[in-house]
Amino acid sequence: MKEKLDQYDVIWVRGGNTFVLAQAMRLSGFDEIIKKYYREKRDILYGGYSAGGCILGPTLKGIHLADEPEQKPYGNEHQAIWEGLCILDYVIAPHYKSDHKESNDMDRAIEFMIENKILFKALRDGEVIIIE
């Protein structure tokens, strides 16, 4: 995986179930590679939509109200992963007050994060966070 990723200077991670994405990242080794790129300040552009942004935070707690942690497409022996990549110190809460089908679920997720003192940033569809 690292040899393949080293060929690119842009990585786009799309949406879907954040818990499935976390499993795929761990099983492929992508999670450790992207964290290493971040630590080493590698000149790379990471872009993500929905789950691709959610995975960057410290936790997936709250996101479980929009995505199902019990989905296990890689086998039942793999437990749900509740930790994000810890690249950001806050959770991205996408689809806030948007036309997206998960917008209402995200309202509940944000309530959960507020009640549990989880730092987050809510983003409406079309909004972005740029970190240089």
Side-chain angles (χ1 to χ4, degrees), residues 18 45 72 81 87 109 130:
T18 310
L45 174 66
K72 296 182 180 169
I81 297 168
I87 290 174
I130 298 173

Side-chain angles (χ1 to χ4, degrees), residues 12-77:
W12 177 257
V13 181
R14 57 171 304 206
N17 183 307
T18 310
F19 293 90
V20 171
L21 178 61
Q23 287 180 12
M25 286 182 167
R26 182 162 296 164
L27 291 170
S28 67
F30 179 91
D31 58 346
E32 293 303 321
I33 295 166
I34 200 72
K35 288 190 280 190
K36 184 175 188 223
Y37 287 171
Y38 179 71
R39 282 191 309 271
E40 294 176 353
K41 298 184 182 345
R42 181 163 179 231
D43 193 17
I44 190 167
L45 174 66
Y46 176 101
Y49 170 78
S50 193
C54 293
I55 195 70
L56 295 173
T59 184
L60 303 184
K61 291 179 181 170
I63 301 302
H64 72 286
L65 296 169
D67 291 343
E68 302 83 21
E70 61 275 358
Q71 283 193 15
K72 296 182 180 169
Y74 307 110
N76 287 330
E77 67 274 14

